[in-house]
Amino acid sequence: MAKKNSQKPKDSEKLSFIQECIDNKQISISEVKELASINYPLFSFRYLKDTSIKDCNDHKFFYNFLIRLQKLSELGWNEIRSSHRHSYGMESLPQSQIIPDVRLLPKFVTPEVDLHVFRSSGDNKTFVGLQRGKIFYVFFIESKHGDICPH
């Protein structure tokens, strides 16, 4: 029985794949350079809790939230970090300041780690999570002011 190769591809294999995509006109060199230079955020809802949003029937709120995520996804992490917190930036939030029970947080969030807060819409409601590399794990989305954190 042949043993599967579970190793990650080597850098030379990755470069060969990228070159093949460029040669086959699947991606341009400028697109490769742009993707390599910008660290775009990716949003994960794997650990999202329904606190605050479970009773929200405001479709406009969710539409505005999706548009906010779209805009944040177009910015790089560096641009997000240089943006004001009431615009497209984020700020730190000690776990002691969140209103939901901290036991709702995933196990990988240790007590000493501060969470991160973005504004979820133009009216300053927030969404709270944690950035790890390119991924921002969304834990809570505030549909009513003060449900998730003090303002």
Side-chain angles (χ1 to χ4, degrees):
M1 181 184 261
K3 187 177 180 181
K4 276 189 170 181
N5 184 359
S6 62
Q7 294 178 343
K8 292 183 178 179
K10 296 177 185 173
D11 286 342
S12 61
E13 291 171 337
K14 291 177 192 175
L15 291 174
S16 175
F17 173 76
I18 292 169
Q19 187 61 53
E20 184 179 320
C21 289
I22 292 169
D23 292 345
N24 292 327
K25 308 238 184 278
Q26 295 170 321
I27 191 168
S28 69
I29 292 174
S30 62
E31 287 173 310
V32 170
K33 288 179 182 177
E34 180 184 355
L35 290 172
S37 67
I38 298 176
N39 192 4
Y40 289 107
L42 303 172
F43 293 94
S44 170
F45 294 89
R46 179 177 180 189
Y47 302 103
L48 177 66
K49 301 301 178 197
D50 68 357
T51 306
S52 186
I53 59 171
K54 66 182 169 204
D55 297 323
C56 181
N57 295 319
D58 182 2
H59 68 278
K60 188 171 181 167
F61 168 78
F62 289 107
Y63 172 79
N64 290 336
F65 178 66
L66 288 173
I67 296 302
R68 175 64 56 128
L69 289 180
Q70 178 189 29
K71 178 62 178 170
L72 288 168
S73 296
E74 294 171 358
L75 303 174
W77 280 113
N78 289 339
E79 200 170 343
I80 288 170
R81 292 201 189 299
S82 65
S83 185
H84 188 270
R85 67 187 175 107
H86 285 283
S87 182
Y88 290 100
M90 67 179 185
E91 61 185 308
S92 292
L93 178 73
Q95 290 182 39
S96 62
Q97 289 188 14
I98 65 165
I99 293 166
D101 190 336
V102 293
R103 291 177 293 183
L104 293 173
L105 295 172
K107 301 239 182 280
F108 70 83
V109 182
T110 54
E112 73 282 356
V113 173
D114 284 350
L115 301 175
H116 300 119
V117 178
F118 279 103
R119 298 303 182 260
S120 61
S121 60
D123 62 2
N124 288 328
K125 293 174 187 156
T126 61
F127 66 100
V128 177
L130 184 65
Q131 179 194 353
R132 290 185 119 192
K134 288 184 177 189
I135 300 173
F136 187 88
Y137 294 96
V138 180
F139 304 144
F140 304 105
I141 303 169
E142 186 176 68
S143 65
K144 293 181 210 135
H145 279 285
D147 277 359
I148 302 301
C149 62
H151 289 265

